[in-house]
């Protein structure tokens, strides 16, 4: 398989890494979110993690925003759009950079990480996203996406 194909598989897998928690939190599929805790039932998708799982030097800041409606919407829309962008290979720069930011914030929320004093999967996925933002991949809708007039006028949407 060519490297573009390998990067494409990596891109799609990471896309599902973002899209899956969106659907689990939205619908309460019973994996990390119980059915009675779904966002559709009016529960906060961020409260449990931010209020109870955060630790370290920045925990106070994350606990302060736990359950905030704006934070809930930002988190869920972010998961959805980052996941879709990665899976379909559209808006790759903004998807990769915003995904990296989200992962970095999640890393900050649990400092120090559980199994290593510095590095954990959030940082590794973030590094992969930064690489994907700067390489060409195949199996995507990127040619169609970049041909759109709005994308041509706004290069940051590439």
């Amino acid at each position: 398989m060519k490297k573009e194909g390998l990067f494409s598989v990596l891109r799609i897998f990471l896309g599902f890494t973002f899209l899956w928690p969106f659907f689990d939190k939205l619908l309460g599929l019973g994996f990390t979110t119980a059915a009675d805790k779904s966002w559709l039932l009016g529960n906060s998708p961020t409260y449990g993690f931010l209020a109870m799982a955060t630790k370290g030097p920045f925990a106070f800041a994350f606990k302060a925003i736990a359950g905030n409606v704006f934070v809930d919407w930002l988190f869920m829309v972010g998961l959805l759009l980052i996941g879709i962008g990665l899976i379909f290979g559209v808006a790759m720069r903004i998807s990769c950079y915003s995904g990296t930011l989200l992962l970095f914030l999640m890393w900050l929320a649990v400092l120090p990480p559980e199994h290593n004093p510095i590095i954990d999967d959030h940082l590794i996925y973030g590094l992969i996203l930064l690489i994907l933002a700067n390489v060409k991949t195949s199996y995507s809708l990127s040619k169609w996406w970049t041909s759109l007039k709005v994308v041509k006028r706004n290069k940051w949407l590439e």
Side-chain angles (χ1 to χ4, degrees):
M1 183 181 278
K2 293 183 180 181
K3 67 180 177 181
E4 292 86 9
L6 288 173
F7 283 129
S8 297
V9 171
L10 189 58
R11 172 180 54 79
I12 292 166
F13 275 36
L14 272 175
F16 278 110
T17 301
F18 284 91
L19 204 54
W20 178 255
F22 168 79
F23 285 114
D24 187 43
K25 292 178 181 317
L26 178 70
L27 304 170
L29 298 176
F31 289 85
T32 58
T33 307
D36 63 337
K37 300 292 184 191
S38 76
W39 195 32
L40 287 179
L41 293 178
N43 295 291
S44 169
T46 63
Y47 180 79
F49 174 73
L50 292 178
M52 294 174 248
T54 54
K55 61 181 182 172
F58 304 106
F60 72 94
F62 290 105
K63 289 180 189 301
I65 61 172
N68 180 290
V69 174
F70 177 73
V71 173
D72 289 344
W73 274 92
L74 193 60
F75 177 68
M76 292 296 283
V77 170
L79 287 175
L80 177 65
L81 294 179
I82 294 164
I84 288 172
L86 290 171
I87 289 170
F88 292 106
V90 297
M92 283 298 292
R93 286 189 189 139
I94 195 163
S95 296
C96 290
Y97 294 143
S98 58
T100 300
L101 176 62
L102 178 60
L103 290 163
F104 179 72
L105 290 171
M106 293 173 77
W107 176 77
L108 281 179
V110 296
L111 275 178
E114 186 177 349
H115 301 291
N116 183 306
I118 301 169
I119 304 296
D120 76 348
D121 56 333
H122 296 97
L123 291 182
I124 294 168
Y125 289 161
L127 179 60
I128 293 169
L129 286 174
L130 291 176
I131 292 167
L132 288 173
N134 294 289
V135 299
K136 295 282 186 207
T137 64
S138 52
Y139 315 118
S140 72
L141 300 176
S142 65
K143 285 185 183 180
W144 165 78
W145 178 259
T146 56
S147 72
L148 297 174
K149 287 181 184 180
V150 69
V151 176
K152 285 181 179 179
R153 284 192 306 260
N154 299 286
K155 292 293 183 186
W156 62 271
L157 288 173
E158 286 182 356

